[in-house]
Amino acid sequence: MALSTPASAADTVTTFTVTATTGLTITAPATASLSTATPGGSATGQLGTVTVSDQRSQLGTTWIATVSLSSAFKTGGGTAAETISGSNVTYTPGSATAETNPPHTAGNAGSLASPITAFSRASGDGANSVSWNPTLTVNVPAGNVSGTYSGTITHSVA
């Protein structure tokens, strides 16, 4: 059966807009506790879920999430024997625990003497997200005193 040519036709150009829901964000737990340690030993533990959410919905949505020790671990008055610097702190991102629209790449474990890459996205289009549960290890110098040490781990994304 042959199709007949219409006597008349009308086209309707139809459009709609896809809008980004938010921008590029990172979330991390407000607090975390590590194991106890002795001088010369190590405190370790997971920080909890860290998530990068990239809802910019663009072509080439790349980003790098970094982590740093923005405030050294201190107890008491923060003297040298009461302070643990980033060179004694190791951050291990581990594998992704959840991800949408990969690829995402975990950074290498490393010292927080300076900022390091926690996770990144080097290629891909559209909205994406990734979560991970990093492990922190603090090597307590033998010369440090006992006490409850507190420091600040900062995650950022750009």
Side-chain angles (χ1 to χ4, degrees):
M1 173 176 172
L3 294 177
S4 60
T5 304
S8 177
D11 294 332
T12 302
V13 176
T14 306
T15 63
F16 67 97
T17 302
V18 175
T19 59
T21 55
T22 59
L24 178 61
T25 61
I26 191 165
T27 58
T31 62
S33 295
L34 305 179
S35 67
T36 59
T38 58
S42 297
T44 189
Q46 291 187 297
L47 296 181
T49 301
V50 178
T51 301
V52 170
S53 180
D54 183 355
Q55 301 302 308
R56 297 173 293 175
S57 304
Q58 299 172 344
L59 292 173
T61 51
T62 62
W63 48 260
I64 297 174
T66 58
V67 60
S68 63
L69 180 64
S70 57
S71 174
F73 285 94
K74 294 181 181 182
T75 192
T79 66
E82 298 171 308
T83 301
I84 302 172
S85 68
S87 62
N88 291 306
V89 180
T90 301
Y91 179 95
T92 306
S95 301
T97 57
E99 75 185 314
T100 303
N101 191 18
H104 302 101
T105 304
N108 295 321
S111 161
L112 293 184
S114 59
I116 63 170
T117 298
F119 254 84
S120 63
R121 179 176 170 94
S123 65
D125 300 324
N128 66 92
S129 66
V130 64
S131 297
W132 66 96
N133 189 357
T135 300
L136 199 69
T137 302
V138 179
N139 296 316
V140 180
N144 273 69
V145 300
S146 61
T148 301
Y149 285 75
S150 181
T152 303
I153 305 296
T154 300
H155 290 90
S156 58
V157 65

